[in-house]
Amino acid sequence: MKQRVLELVFRILFLIAALASILAVILICIFLFANGFPPMAEIGVFDFLFGMDWSPVDVPPSFGIFPMIVGSLYVTAGAIIIGVPIGILTAVFMAKFCPKRLYRPLKPAVELLAGIPSIVYGFFGMVVLVPLVRELFDSKGASILTASILLGIMILPTIIGVSESAIRAVPNSYYEGALALGASHERSVFFVMLPAAKSGIMAGIVLGIGRAIGETMAVMMVAGNQARMPDSILEGVRTLTANIVMEMGYAADLHREALIATAVVLFVFILIINLCFSLLKRRMK
Amino acid sequence: MEKFKIENLDLYYGNFQALKNINLNLEANKITAFIGPSGCGKSTLLKSLNRMNDLVEGCSITGNVLLDGEDIYGDMDVNHLRKRVGMVFQKANPFPMSIYDNIAFGPRTHGVRGKARLNEIVEKSLRDAAIWDEVKDRLKKSALGLSGGQQQRLCIARALAVDPEVILLDEPTSALDPISTSKIEDLLLSLKNNYTIIIVTHNMQQAGRVSDKTAFFLLGEVVEFDDTLKIFNNPSERRTEDYITGRFG
């Protein structure tokens, strides 16, 4: 009898724990959409999403976040261009070429990369990357390029980790089959194993995109943060996340609400990315 | 004419000796069957003929394996060896790509370019493997959608596509139903004029049906190697007779 009661208590306890995270997601959705849609309607959805001018304290104010949407997309795309090839090649190396003795330090090193706080990445970007880009390209330094490089590094552990396990999950019989046809190790890996791991690797890239688009602190420290359309990748740019965090401290009224609406836009991006991720994961099985 | 000459071959997995002093001459354009109970070394010997054993950690070999008189463990390029000595595995392992690309992978690996040439090789290989009629309308579809028996014939076609001299088959029908099995056996008989075929099988009847020569393995040794008819009807060794009549194994 006592045991049965105990079992029931624990079962409820586990249920509550499980519900907590679901509840959190639901509450965040409700909060965001309830607070984000009214100002969007007030400003005008089109003017808000595609407006070129972000001047929240002017009279009259203007709340166009298009430059920030573009900014987020630019730095994310840049991070993908830089991070994906390096990440995939690293994953291939770790799964199929790396000698065991090298793997032992390499694996934790990559994992450590994932654990470094983004503010530390930001400092690294400010102290190393910004001056480097300034010197190399004779520009301001804090730019789309700089942010892309930094984000490219930050998404490496995600892409490497997911891709490596995807490559390892490919049945060895494919590899043997290719070798038995006279293919070299390299050809077997790149033309049989890698295509077979395609959907897993895509999932890794999508996760990386999610990480890049949501990153705030590190990007803010190296991107320049000008709220206008950039003309080249050597110019500064402001991302959606940076926009929120920079102005939330002093914003009031419609300005404050417009920032929440900015978060809604970001949230929708993340939802789309997650949808892609789960579709890919389903296809993987 | 002998294709493979195996001389004093010893093979070790770490400290375990899996093959003991193997001496065999495998003839060209014949089907040779390796039979014997599980763990007797027949698959191991098969894999040493195209050096797939290189993948096994701790595997070491002494003795000679000569292909047309040339030591395959000597200076021979291992990829070239595997082009000449193809292999079909126990479990069909088509690549997760289209039927066409499965067959074209080998030729492309060895430098065949040009659509017309590749088309020709694909069609010929599939015809030779007696699967052309079943797949000709779905060449661009994934090979993983084929049935088990079709997949195994596809793997044979894939092996044929690189124009090998020898085909090694490691229990190719053990996972297949009787109809698929008989299709593959017919296929092997039709191929033997052009290729040297070596097949490992657990199925006594299969060895009897398809092979010209049979080697009986036990505990890493070749107990008896002779014409299949002789092995099955009048074996010289008592142990061979016991195994074939089902008294053990």
Side-chain angles (χ1 to χ4, degrees):
Chain A
M1 188 60 206
K2 198 180 153 201
Q3 214 165 4
R4 210 178 279 173
V5 173
L6 206 66
E7 206 169 295
L8 189 72
V9 169
F10 269 95
R11 198 179 286 185
I12 291 169
L13 209 65
F14 293 144
L15 185 68
I16 291 171
L19 287 178
S21 59
I22 299 172
L23 196 70
V25 171
I26 293 172
L27 283 179
I28 289 172
C29 285
I30 292 175
F31 158 79
L32 266 183
F33 290 120
N35 289 288
F37 279 133
M40 247 193 253
E42 194 177 333
I43 299 162
V45 175
F46 189 84
D47 288 342
F48 179 67
L49 290 177
F50 297 104
M52 287 291 178
D53 184 28
W54 176 264
S55 319
V57 287
D58 283 8
V59 186
S62 170
F63 298 100
I65 63 163
F66 195 64
M68 273 80 88
I69 293 179
V70 169
S72 276
L73 293 181
Y74 274 174
V75 295
T76 303
I80 296 304
I81 291 169
I82 292 166
V84 166
I86 299 177
I88 292 178
L89 289 178
T90 308
V92 169
F93 176 74
M94 286 175 65
K96 290 291 157 193
F97 291 89
C98 188
K100 266 202 186 114
R101 248 190 310 171
L102 187 57
Y103 188 79
R104 231 168 282 148
L106 193 60
K107 181 77 181 164
V110 170
E111 280 163 359
L112 185 65
L113 211 53
I116 296 173
S118 62
I119 190 88
V120 175
Y121 275 104
F123 264 120
F124 167 74
M126 276 175 87
V127 176
V128 179
L129 293 179
V130 170
L132 196 71
V133 170
R134 191 186 298 141
E135 289 295 310
L136 281 177
F137 298 98
D138 193 23
S139 66
K140 274 174 290 197
S143 64
I144 296 178
L145 180 67
T146 322
S148 297
I149 296 172
L150 189 63
L151 277 177
I153 298 171
M154 291 179 74
I155 62 173
L156 277 180
T158 311
I159 293 177
I160 294 173
V162 178
S163 302
E164 192 200 337
S165 26
I167 295 168
R168 283 191 190 279
V170 174
N172 216 30
S173 63
Y174 295 162
Y175 174 69
E176 289 180 353
L179 280 195
L181 291 168
S184 62
H185 176 68
E186 292 76 15
R187 190 172 160 83
S188 307
V189 170
F190 280 99
F191 291 87
V192 176
M193 303 295 272
L194 205 54
K198 198 171 49 190
S199 19
I201 291 171
M202 282 303 294
I205 293 172
V206 170
L207 276 185
I209 294 175
R211 169 122 210 241
I213 208 167
E215 179 51 46
T216 312
M217 215 55 221
V219 172
M220 208 169 78
M221 289 166 81
V222 299
N225 305 318
Q226 299 90 330
R228 56 165 165 68
M229 288 294 281
D231 294 327
S232 90
I233 59 165
L234 291 173
E235 282 192 13
V237 77
R238 184 186 289 188
T239 63
L240 292 167
T241 52
N243 192 41
I244 298 167
V245 84
M246 282 168 62
E247 300 187 358
M248 207 60 189
Y250 64 87
D253 304 331
L254 188 58
H255 182 193
R256 184 172 183 278
E257 286 170 8
L259 292 178
I260 296 174
T262 310
V264 171
V265 174
L266 188 69
F267 190 64
V268 169
F269 273 128
I270 295 290
L271 283 181
I272 294 170
I273 289 165
N274 269 309
L275 195 71
C276 293
F277 179 69
S278 24
L279 285 178
L280 280 170
K281 232 171 48 181
R282 197 175 309 162
R283 216 174 58 184
M284 225 153 69
K285 285 166 199 159
Chain B
M1 202 192 77
E2 72 204 21
K3 192 73 188 168
F4 266 116
K5 191 175 173 68
I6 302 165
E7 298 173 330
N8 308 321
L9 183 74
D10 290 314
L11 185 145
Y12 299 84
Y13 291 132
N15 291 324
F16 171 72
Q17 185 168 8
L19 293 175
K20 295 168 190 159
N21 194 31
I22 308 287
N23 288 283
L24 282 178
N25 289 332
L26 306 174
E27 286 173 65
N29 299 26
K30 289 257 161 64
I31 298 181
T32 305
F34 290 175
I35 62 169
S38 300
C40 66
K42 55 196 191 304
S43 285
T44 299
L45 179 63
L46 194 76
K47 284 181 190 152
S48 358
L49 298 181
N50 68 343
R51 295 188 55 174
M52 288 304 280
N53 268 334
D54 290 10
L55 302 182
V56 182
E57 223 168 305
C59 174
S60 61
I61 280 179
T62 61
N64 294 320
V65 180
L66 306 176
L67 173 63
D68 289 335
E70 196 184 347
D71 186 4
I72 67 166
Y73 286 91
D75 290 333
M76 194 184 286
D77 175 56
V78 66
N79 297 327
H80 186 62
L81 166 71
R82 291 184 187 139
K83 181 193 173 299
R84 293 175 64 189
V85 183
M87 186 166 215
V88 175
F89 297 83
Q90 179 172 6
K91 195 166 170 296
N93 58 350
F95 303 135
M97 42 178 101
S98 73
I99 293 170
Y100 185 96
D101 287 337
N102 260 280
I103 308 294
F105 179 83
R108 282 177 180 145
T109 299
H110 299 290
V112 176
R113 297 282 176 270
K115 226 171 153 43
R117 180 84 188 102
L118 280 173
N119 288 345
E120 195 183 310
I121 294 177
V122 169
E123 177 168 350
K124 181 174 187 320
S125 310
L126 289 168
R127 277 190 193 283
D128 287 352
I131 191 180
W132 171 253
D133 289 330
E134 291 158 67
V135 300
K136 63 182 175 200
D137 299 322
R138 48 200 280 208
L139 291 177
K140 297 289 170 195
K141 296 261 168 62
S142 168
L144 301 184
L146 298 173
S147 73
Q150 288 173 325
Q151 288 191 5
Q152 193 60 294
R153 275 178 290 147
L154 181 78
C155 289
I156 294 176
R158 191 174 66 185
L160 297 179
V162 296
D163 193 24
E165 299 160 28
V166 183
I167 302 168
L168 311 174
L169 301 108
D170 191 359
E171 298 183 43
T173 62
S174 64
L176 302 181
D177 63 89
I179 293 169
S180 302
T181 298
S182 84
K183 278 187 184 163
I184 286 183
E185 288 178 6
D186 292 345
L187 171 59
L188 294 181
L189 290 170
S190 74
L191 290 174
K192 82 171 180 183
N193 293 329
N194 300 314
Y195 304 93
T196 303
I197 295 174
I198 303 162
I199 178 170
V200 164
T201 179
H202 264 140
N203 182 333
M204 290 306 114
Q205 288 82 19
Q206 182 167 66
R209 280 191 300 260
V210 301
S211 69
D212 304 299
K213 297 276 223 168
T214 297
F216 171 57
F217 288 72
L218 198 59
L219 301 170
E221 285 174 279
V222 175
V223 174
E224 194 170 346
F225 176 54
D226 214 324
D227 289 336
T228 299
L229 279 176
K230 171 128 193 330
I231 292 265
F232 278 87
N233 295 320
N234 185 21
S236 324
E237 286 269 342
R238 181 63 196 267
R239 287 176 295 174
T240 313
E241 189 178 347
D242 285 351
Y243 182 70
I244 285 164
T245 53
R247 231 162 285 168
F248 80 96

